[in-house]
């Protein structure tokens, strides 16, 4: 499934889980038109969360509630340790490879982590929703 298809499905899910809401009359309008004032300029109401225009906030709320965000630091550390081994020997000190790199050169660590995250985005392995990233396969399962 492409990113565009996933975004489309998430938007459909947001419409399925919300009800049109007239903020002026402060009533739910399941028909799509306010029975009180006649407007069709309606917000979306998500039970237990609130009301707002658009669907991005609904998608963020659903995804945050039902899925676990990717721990970018952890998956990058795991990738480094898979490539270079779990421990590194520096003189007489044994240390986690990822921790040693992070402590010895934090700038290089941050650059490499950013490039790794960019590669996951380009490969369509992860997708940003709100301020967090989620695995594509998890988003498809919604």
């Amino acid at each position: 499934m492409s990113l565009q298809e996933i975004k489309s499905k998430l938007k459909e899910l947001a419409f399925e889980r919300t009800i049109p809401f007239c903020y002026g009359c402060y009533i739910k309008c399941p028909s799509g038109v306010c029975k009180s004032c006649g407007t069709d300029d309606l917000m979306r109401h998500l039970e237990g969360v609130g009301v707002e225009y658009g669907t991005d906030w609904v998608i963020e709320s659903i995804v945050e509630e039902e899925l676990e965000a990717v721990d970018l630091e952890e998956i990058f550390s795991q990738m480094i340790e898979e490539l270079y081994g779990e421990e590194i020997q520096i003189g007489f000190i044994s240390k986690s490879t990822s921790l040693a790199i992070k402590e010895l050169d934090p700038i290089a660590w941050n650059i490499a982590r950013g490039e790794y995250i960019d590669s996951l985005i380009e490969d369509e392995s992860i997708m940003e929703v709100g301020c967090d990233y989620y695995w594509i396969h998890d988003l498809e399962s919604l």
Side-chain angles (χ1 to χ4, degrees), residues 12-119:
E12 285 177 29
L13 183 64
F15 275 101
E16 288 173 11
R17 296 204 184 170
T18 58
I19 298 170
F21 188 86
C22 178
Y23 197 74
C25 300
Y26 217 76
I27 58 172
K28 295 176 185 175
C29 308
S31 68
V33 176
C34 180
K35 292 180 182 176
S36 180
C37 68
T39 188
D40 62 355
D41 184 24
L42 304 172
M43 296 178 141
R44 304 300 302 176
H45 176 266
L46 181 60
E47 195 66 43
V49 178
V51 297
E52 185 59 68
Y53 285 106
T55 57
D56 289 345
W57 69 277
V58 177
I59 293 167
E60 286 178 37
S61 181
I62 292 169
V63 170
E64 286 174 7
E65 180 72 26
E66 296 185 20
L67 300 177
E68 188 174 329
V70 175
D71 184 343
L72 299 173
E73 191 77 18
E74 180 62 28
I75 64 169
F76 181 63
S77 292
Q78 287 175 356
M79 185 273 299
I80 291 295
E81 291 178 359
E82 286 173 10
L83 285 175
Y84 301 106
E86 289 185 25
E87 284 195 357
I88 189 167
Q89 183 79 26
I90 303 172
F92 57 87
I93 300 171
S94 283
K95 195 134 181 137
S96 158
T97 304
S98 59
L99 190 58
I101 296 169
K102 190 186 318 185
E103 288 180 4
L104 290 171
D105 194 347
I107 294 171
W109 174 266
N110 288 337
I111 291 170
R113 185 187 64 211
E115 290 173 353
Y116 179 67
I117 293 165
D118 289 346
S119 75

